[in-house]
Amino acid sequence: DTGVSQNPRHKITKRGQNVTFRCDPISEHNRLYWYRQTLGQGPEFLTYFQNEAQLEKSRLLSDRFSAERPKGSFSTLEIQRTEQGDSAMYLCASSPGQAGYTFGSGTRLTVV
Amino acid sequence: GQNIDQPTEMTATEGAIVQINCTYQTSGFNGLFWYQQHAGEAPTFLSYNVLDGLEEKGRFSSFLSRSKGYSYLLLKELQMKDSASYLCAVRSSGGSYIPTFGRGTSLIVHP
């Protein structure tokens, strides 16, 4: 197992375009989390899955954001009609329970 | 909600000891985590405290006082590679037990 994998590592997109990121968690981890991190700040929680169920969403997750985990394995985070304020590092983490959170290396999004 | 406070930046000398403080306010405390994050990389787990006291792991130790809403991370025998951001995260028992992170402390280690 190579840990939590995120793709792509970097994404540059024009304002108004849609983007999709993928996260492959550690295989035996049933919990998956998405966070967003901007420069000089800590990660901010976006949403959480237990298996395929999306159990919690932050109010930071506007209607333009949607996340899925269709088979309880990998997850995707889509941002529609991107804005410059969406530029950030998007981090995925997984855990087997309520501890042992392992983060991926993140996808850095730049909206121009 | 939760309020987590840690210093923005600290500097220290190679070989020295540094203590990074974290204070928090939360209802239903359910654990405190410390993570290390090098620039452009993923946060990596350092320590987890749920009971009061000191947890030691090699050069790194973490302390928790639940009554004071206070934790610190102690780094001994500092090395240049310890230059990184150190993130304090608190989990509460409400909701889905999801950690909330502070903004992180950027540690710069000088030769």
Side-chain angles (χ1 to χ4, degrees):
Chain A
D1 193 345
T2 57
V4 179
S5 176
Q6 291 189 246
N7 289 288
R9 288 296 306 275
H10 302 275
K11 178 69 177 180
I12 300 174
T13 191
K14 291 183 179 179
R15 190 173 50 189
Q17 297 294 305
N18 299 344
V19 293
T20 300
F21 311 140
R22 176 176 170 129
C23 171
D24 287 88
I26 293 173
S27 56
E28 61 267 26
H29 288 185
N30 64 339
R31 298 181 182 217
L32 186 147
Y33 313 79
W34 284 98
Y35 283 82
R36 180 174 68 187
Q37 187 176 27
T38 54
L39 196 63
Q41 302 295 319
E44 296 175 294
F45 169 72
L46 293 178
T47 190
Y48 154 66
F49 290 85
Q50 185 164 331
N51 300 311
E52 66 275 10
Q54 188 174 20
L55 297 184
E56 193 159 331
K57 291 169 62 174
S58 163
R59 59 181 181 274
L60 292 176
L61 214 66
S62 76
D63 291 344
R64 298 184 297 106
F65 287 69
S66 62
E68 294 182 343
R69 194 182 184 197
K71 298 181 180 179
S73 56
F74 73 91
S75 175
T76 58
L77 178 68
E78 180 183 17
I79 309 174
Q80 296 182 328
R81 305 182 302 282
T82 52
E83 302 172 355
Q84 286 189 322
D86 297 332
S87 295
M89 175 76 84
Y90 290 84
L91 292 164
C92 176
S94 68
S95 70
Q98 295 175 13
Y101 307 93
T102 301
F103 281 85
S105 296
T107 295
R108 180 167 295 284
L109 173 66
T110 303
V111 181
V112 298
Chain B
Q2 295 173 336
N3 186 27
I4 301 169
D5 192 36
Q6 48 182 135
T8 304
E9 187 175 294
M10 298 182 70
T11 59
T13 305
E14 192 175 16
I17 299 172
V18 71
Q19 177 175 311
I20 303 174
N21 296 324
C22 172
T23 57
Y24 63 88
Q25 294 175 318
T26 188
S27 55
F29 175 83
N30 192 258
L32 185 143
F33 302 82
W34 283 97
Y35 279 80
Q36 179 192 61
Q37 186 178 28
H38 286 99
E41 298 183 11
T44 55
F45 172 80
L46 291 177
S47 68
Y48 170 63
N49 295 70
V50 68
L51 299 176
D52 292 350
L54 187 68
E55 295 279 343
E56 297 186 82
K57 190 185 296 184
R59 294 189 299 114
F60 294 4
S61 303
S62 58
F63 172 83
L64 175 68
S65 169
R66 289 172 295 171
S67 62
K68 294 181 180 178
Y70 169 68
S71 173
Y72 67 73
L73 181 70
L74 192 71
L75 292 74
K76 303 176 185 175
E77 300 169 14
L78 281 172
Q79 302 175 10
M80 298 296 290
K81 68 178 182 179
D82 297 329
S83 293
S85 180
Y86 290 85
L87 301 163
C88 172
V90 174
R91 185 173 63 195
S92 68
S93 56
S96 302
Y97 295 81
I98 295 166
T100 299
F101 285 82
R103 60 188 301 165
T105 298
S106 177
L107 174 65
I108 301 169
V109 180
H110 294 292

